[in-house]
Amino acid sequence: MQKTFPIVFPEGSSAVAFQPKAIADLEMALPQLDLHPPRPVIVVVGGAAGLRHYHVARLHTLFSKVLAPVAEALGAIVIDGGTDTGVMRMMGVARHWTKSTFPLIGVLPVGVAALPNACPPCTEAAILESNHTHFVLIPGSNWGDDSPWIAKIASLLSRGLPSITILINGGEITWQDAHESVKAQRSIVAIAGSGRAADALTAALDGNRSDERATQIVESGLLQSVNLEHQDKLREVMQQILMQKVETVRSRE
């Protein structure tokens, strides 16, 4: 079995990385990351380069005032795409600003991951966000190859404890991520007002299903929407989903 290896960033931070060969290997491979599951899991998916400038300041506040504190308070693991752009950068920065200690795992195809002090594997390769604590570099060389892996890793780490997908903005790959969350029976909260996929899903919840990709997601009953401006509401929704299920699981033990 392949072993973990360190990734050291120029800023001085470091992360533990693992490169599995197949998705079926994850159950045996993940214990090497020393994450001590089962734990609640928060999956963050959404916009990378497609975020508008007027979203950025409000989203930074959302990450630093809601997502990071909730993850820290619940002892959750956070999973995202791991690159130094968009919502993934915001998640890493929020963890750093809030001095949080929760594990932050970036999952992305090895063929598009530009590791520090290494030649980029292709012209579309993206650098990694340096505040992440772990990276799972999955097989593949296309953005979106990681969508089923993110969903599987979240399920393996939660192991019946609560998990939630926070969907912010997002393009084609975010739609894939949303459908993978539905397959995993994972609750999805779309952040209304953040643009693109999140707003299309919010519209579908309100009855406007002009985008056919939204139909299956809405009909799953797993989707709800919270406005970008309503940070207290998002905190309440996240805690309700996560803590209620934690209590339910514990009551059966």
Side-chain angles (χ1 to χ4, degrees):
M1 180 182 295
Q2 288 181 294
K3 300 296 183 181
T4 59
F5 60 93
I7 294 177
V8 180
F9 294 95
E11 300 90 338
S13 60
S14 62
V16 177
F18 187 80
Q19 190 173 334
K21 293 182 178 180
I23 200 166
D25 298 334
L26 282 174
E27 193 157 5
M28 294 182 63
L30 285 177
Q32 294 191 57
L33 298 180
D34 199 27
L35 294 168
H36 308 294
R39 296 171 67 168
V41 173
I42 301 169
V43 178
V44 179
V45 300
L51 287 170
R52 302 299 184 188
H53 70 279
Y54 51 81
H55 291 136
V56 173
R58 289 182 292 172
L59 285 172
H60 271 301
T61 302
L62 191 78
F63 277 88
S64 62
K65 298 296 185 182
V66 182
L67 297 188
V70 169
E72 187 74 359
L74 297 180
I77 295 171
V78 180
I79 302 174
D80 64 19
T83 62
D84 192 28
T85 185
V87 299
M88 297 158 285
R89 175 186 291 167
M90 291 181 190
M91 191 70 252
V93 168
R95 184 184 184 277
H96 175 70
W97 281 354
T98 57
K99 296 180 171 59
S100 295
T101 59
F102 60 83
L104 177 54
I105 307 174
V107 181
L108 70 162
V110 66
V112 289
L115 275 61
N117 303 315
C119 293
C122 67
T123 57
E124 294 183 355
I127 61 174
L128 307 184
E129 202 286 320
S130 62
N131 294 297
H132 282 63
T133 60
H134 299 77
F135 290 93
V136 180
L137 303 173
I138 63 102
S141 56
N142 297 299
W143 297 112
D145 288 347
D146 48 319
S147 293
W149 288 78
I150 289 173
K152 182 65 173 178
I153 291 168
S155 296
L156 288 173
L157 292 176
S158 60
R159 292 186 190 171
L161 287 184
S163 62
I164 187 172
T165 295
I166 305 297
L167 190 150
I168 303 168
N169 189 270
E172 293 297 323
I173 295 171
T174 301
W175 285 102
Q176 294 176 216
D177 291 326
H179 283 287
E180 292 293 340
S181 288
V182 169
K183 290 179 187 177
Q185 290 294 294
R186 181 166 298 114
S187 297
I188 303 170
V189 178
I191 304 303
S194 64
R196 300 198 296 166
D199 285 358
L201 286 167
T202 299
L205 274 174
D206 293 336
N208 179 7
R209 301 192 186 180
S210 56
D211 194 321
E212 294 182 0
R213 294 172 296 183
T215 300
Q216 179 189 356
I217 298 169
V218 172
E219 290 180 350
S220 72
L222 296 167
L223 175 69
Q224 56 184 300
S225 176
V226 176
N227 192 278
L228 174 58
E229 304 293 344
H230 299 164
Q231 295 177 18
D232 288 342
K233 178 64 174 177
L234 177 60
R235 184 182 297 107
E236 177 186 334
V237 167
M238 291 180 68
Q239 291 174 338
Q240 184 178 39
I241 290 171
L242 296 173
M243 295 179 69
Q244 180 179 3
K245 290 183 179 179
V246 168
E247 291 167 359
T248 300
V249 171
R250 286 176 179 166
S251 70
R252 294 173 182 168
E253 293 178 347

